[in-house]
Amino acid sequence: MITLPTRSKLDPLERYGLDVLLDLSRCPEVDDAGTGVVRFEITEADPGVADVGKCAARRWHIERGDGVVRVPRPVLRRLGEIATGAAEQRSTARDRHGRVPSTENVLVQQNLVAEPVVARAAAELRDAVIASAGRRAVTLVAPWPDGRRWAAAITHDLDVIDRWPVFTALRIAELAGKGEVRRVARTLGSAFAAVSRNPVQRALHALLEDERARGIVSSWFVLCGTPTLQTMRAGDLTYLPEGRGAAAALRALRERGCEINLHGSFVTSEHHEVFAEQRRRLAGLVQQPVLGVRQHFLRLRPGITSLGMAGAGFRYDTSWGFPDRNGFRLGVGDVIPAWDGAGERALELQEAPVIWMDRALSKYARVEDPNAWIAEGLSLARTCRDVAGLWVGVWHPNLTAALGFPDAPAAFAKLLDGLVAEEPFMAPLGRLVEWRVARRGVRVRGILPDGRPDAYTTAPTATHDTLTLEEPSGARRYSIQATPR
Ligand SMILES: [Zn+2]
């Protein structure tokens, strides 16, 4: 628990940096400043914050005192820049898919993509609060429900349903170009064997079965526009959501209780009215509200696409991953508010960045062994566990032998086993986002006569009963009330 100075002196990006830092530190704010808890102060010192690695090595210049911690204002701004993708929001560079190239990202430039630097800064703050407390009370918010210390979400983009032999042909051309002769031969063998058996639907059912066997419920992102020759050629919209193949897939997902979200087609990233249209169309098909969205090819215009998503009524986005590498594009594996750079404000829309994607290594780094993809995914998952964060992984259900990916389904099962072994809290992404927003709203009124913190959450939520406070040692835990008195 900490007391804070007024935020009014800070500009919007500094305030955002402060809010994310506090949220990820899990140190709840105390309403009654007279309480004997650690004070948080902001200083005007300017230690130089351009070099992110140096900041991290110097513990983000967070000073420890007797009952006080001090953070320089430029540190808050720097953390705000990283967590909002500020440089990418300003960039005018585009790759061949109309995306801002990964090289515009400050963590890519400084070789820090494998490090959740913002989450590490928050851990430094937490350590500083504990070290500065003396005899003052220190209580933290527990990171995830059920006593779990980190979280993981399995997500899938449904890119291929109909016309699968076309995708086989494209993939064979890709493999042949890389000299992967044996994988080409195995693909051809599987494809010929599969001609009359619909390998896409079979792969989807096998994958759902792998998840069911481990008690995992996944989140899906489904394309929901009408394909044309042009969209098909571009690898954009390739199936009709009302078609027989898609209808069968959606039925299977609903039967399993999976969360069904929109996979925004290319045009949505700039033409926002199409977002609302696709969202409505999908909600009609699945007879339930569509909460989440992820852009196909992760094609988004930083900041601008988020505004469109918020305007169309989405609760969360999960597009801020790198298409061509794995890691922490916003310096966090977690849920943070999306940022409108032009309007300088946080949006109601929440962002849960993609940390790892099956094809990132294959498509861009020419690594074709699925076991290597999985090893990187699990390594990043362990990093998320270290910072009590959220790992969001993307697995494409069309990665099956007949479509050019022998060994991939077995690797997927291995990934699930590796994740489960580290005991994350696993749930559909929308549920994790809602819970995380409720955790962010935890406040403490003061300390009760018996020493217990008097805590509540400002977020209206049905999941408050799973929110808890804990002492840093883990020795005692306290429950939290639903609403402020
Ligand atoms: Zn896609």
Side-chain angles (χ1 to χ4, degrees), residues 427-447:
L429 197 44
R431 234 184 98 199
L432 295 173
V433 167
E434 250 7 280
W435 190 87
R436 200 51 192 76
V437 170
R439 192 194 98 182
R440 190 187 300 153
V442 170
R443 299 287 180 272
V444 175
R445 268 181 219 97
I447 312 288

Side-chain angles (χ1 to χ4, degrees), residues 157 159 263 296-297 396:
D157 296 350
D159 290 346
H263 203 28
H296 187 38
F297 281 41
H396 289 84

Side-chain angles (χ1 to χ4, degrees), residues 334-398:
D334 217 312
V335 180
I336 58 177
W339 179 256
D340 163 19
E344 290 204 293
R345 65 191 175 109
L347 299 172
E348 282 291 306
L349 180 79
Q350 302 297 309
E351 181 61 43
V354 167
I355 307 305
W356 175 84
M357 181 162 66
D358 49 12
R359 285 277 271 151
L361 276 179
S362 154
K363 209 166 170 182
Y364 298 93
R366 307 172 73 93
V367 177
E368 288 300 347
D369 177 8
N371 290 310
W373 315 342
I374 298 306
E376 190 174 54
L378 290 174
S379 163
L380 288 164
R382 279 187 289 273
T383 305
C384 289
R385 185 200 59 190
D386 287 350
V387 293
L390 165 65
W391 180 92
V392 176
V394 185
W395 184 267
H396 289 84
N398 53 294

Side-chain angles (χ1 to χ4, degrees), residues 166-180:
V166 175
F167 294 93
T168 302
L170 287 171
R171 172 68 176 160
I172 284 173
E174 182 188 347
L175 284 173
K178 294 173 181 172
E180 291 272 352

